[in-house]
Amino acid sequence: MIGERIKKLRLQHGISLTELAERAGVAKSYISSIERQLQTNPSIQVLDKISEVFNTTAENLLKEDDDVINVIDSEWMTILQEAIDSGIPKEELKKFIEFNKFKQGK
């Protein structure tokens, strides 16, 4: 259900219902009613606003398969964009990731 997916994303991102409401520009009570399955048919405009907070799409929120919602929070997207803008090649980033895994014993 859409409400369960929104709540799951909210908890994964560590944000409160109040914070989601403020960032999305949607009433806290309305989001709460979606999460509690009292409101099962939110408008696409509301879903667009909520999905932007999680850096995903309304379409992903509507999909039945929770595994489809692979969300990268905005901070990670900013870091990745900075790496791209600074000219770090993909191979160098991959080497760093492998080195980090090695340091952690993975």
Side-chain angles (χ1 to χ4, degrees):
M1 301 292 260
I2 184 73
E4 293 170 350
R5 285 190 289 285
I6 291 171
K7 185 174 184 175
K8 180 178 178 182
L9 283 170
R10 183 173 62 76
L11 296 174
Q12 284 175 347
H13 282 79
I15 63 174
S16 68
L17 191 58
T18 301
E19 184 178 355
L20 175 58
E22 289 172 358
R23 289 173 61 183
V26 176
K28 177 181 170 182
S29 60
Y30 190 66
I31 295 174
S32 175
S33 69
I34 295 170
E35 287 188 359
R36 292 181 293 130
Q37 308 301 321
L38 300 175
Q39 171 55 261
T40 59
N41 193 20
S43 71
I44 195 69
Q45 291 85 2
V46 168
L47 294 178
D48 278 337
K49 290 177 179 183
I50 292 171
S51 67
E52 285 181 24
V53 174
F54 299 124
N55 200 33
T56 189
T57 64
E59 180 183 356
N60 278 342
L61 291 179
L62 291 168
K63 291 183 179 177
E64 292 297 318
D65 184 5
D66 282 341
D67 292 335
V68 174
I69 303 176
N70 293 322
V71 178
I72 301 174
D73 72 29
S74 59
E75 184 177 11
W76 275 110
M77 289 301 294
T78 301
I79 292 168
L80 182 57
Q81 190 59 54
E82 286 176 8
I84 292 167
D85 293 345
S86 72
I88 296 174
K90 290 179 193 175
E91 290 305 314
E92 192 173 324
L93 188 55
K94 288 178 184 177
K95 286 178 185 177
F96 173 78
I97 291 168
E98 289 303 314
F99 174 72
N100 200 45
K101 286 180 185 177
F102 171 76
K103 277 185 8 183
Q104 294 176 357
K106 292 182 180 178

